[in-house]
Amino acid sequence: DTERTFFFDLLPIKAGLVGDFRVQFQLLAVPGQVFYEASRLSVLKGADGIVFVADSQIPLLDANLENFEGMRRNIAKHDMDLNRVPIVFQYNKRDLTNLIPVETFNNLLNPKGFPYIEAAAINGTGVVETFKEIAGIIIPSLKEKIFGQKNVVEEIKEI
């Protein structure tokens, strides 16, 4: 009845081929409430990329900062480097008024200048663009992992 996410949402997406390999994304969405911290920690394990969705409403700035810090802690718990994990920021609810400026978001959450998308998910604005952006970062890194490993295997077979 509340239209909230429970634990996480899962959406499998088929994305075509990389070489001879079929690429399928498992898109997992976890709510930002503190109660779901353990769920977010679990979902991050093995993640190939992250979309950090920030709520653009001014009263939620502190919650966005707290959620980002929680994500940073969880990434560190998995011995991952936030600077090496593909990440895209989505600044959501841009259809409302009295919003946090994009410049503020970028200064506080995204000072390294990672890609960001302005969105209004309720009507679909920016949703596909966000997915395309993260996929465009993840797929090349997966190609490198896959073909790098494949090349090593081929070299071993030749020996």
Side-chain angles (χ1 to χ4, degrees):
D1 290 340
T2 61
E3 295 185 40
R4 303 295 301 225
T5 304
F6 296 107
F7 183 62
F8 64 83
D9 287 329
L10 170 64
L11 176 64
I13 300 171
K14 294 180 180 176
L17 296 174
V18 173
D20 294 332
F21 298 92
R22 289 192 183 152
V23 176
Q24 182 171 330
F25 290 96
Q26 300 293 327
L27 182 62
L28 298 163
V30 182
Q33 295 90 344
V34 174
F35 177 79
Y36 294 102
E37 181 76 15
S39 301
R40 287 191 299 276
L41 176 63
S42 178
V43 165
L44 276 173
K45 186 176 184 173
D48 292 311
I50 297 168
V51 173
F52 183 84
V53 180
D55 191 312
S56 292
Q57 298 174 88
I58 287 176
L60 295 173
L61 179 59
D62 287 340
N64 288 319
L65 295 173
E66 184 178 324
N67 287 336
F68 187 75
E69 185 56 36
M71 182 188 72
R72 186 189 327 262
R73 280 191 313 271
N74 287 338
I75 287 172
K77 286 178 185 177
H78 288 301
D79 294 323
M80 298 164 70
D81 180 356
L82 182 60
N83 295 315
R84 300 188 62 115
V85 175
I87 187 167
V88 171
F89 290 86
Q90 184 189 81
Y91 304 141
N92 194 24
K93 299 187 182 177
R94 301 308 291 178
D95 55 323
L96 303 177
T97 58
N98 201 21
L99 302 176
I100 300 165
V102 169
E103 296 78 21
T104 301
F105 270 139
N106 283 332
N107 288 334
L108 296 173
L109 297 175
N110 186 17
K112 298 204 181 221
F114 293 115
Y116 69 89
I117 304 290
E118 294 183 62
I122 196 164
N123 62 29
T125 302
V127 174
V128 172
E129 293 83 356
T130 301
F131 185 73
K132 285 180 179 178
E133 190 71 42
I134 193 67
I137 299 169
I138 291 172
I139 289 176
S141 70
L142 289 177
K143 276 184 176 180
E144 185 177 314
K145 287 178 188 178
I146 291 168
F147 294 120
Q149 291 172 353
K150 184 177 178 182
N151 291 340
V152 169
V153 170
E154 287 174 0
E155 288 175 15
I156 291 171
K157 285 181 183 177
E158 290 177 9
I159 295 172

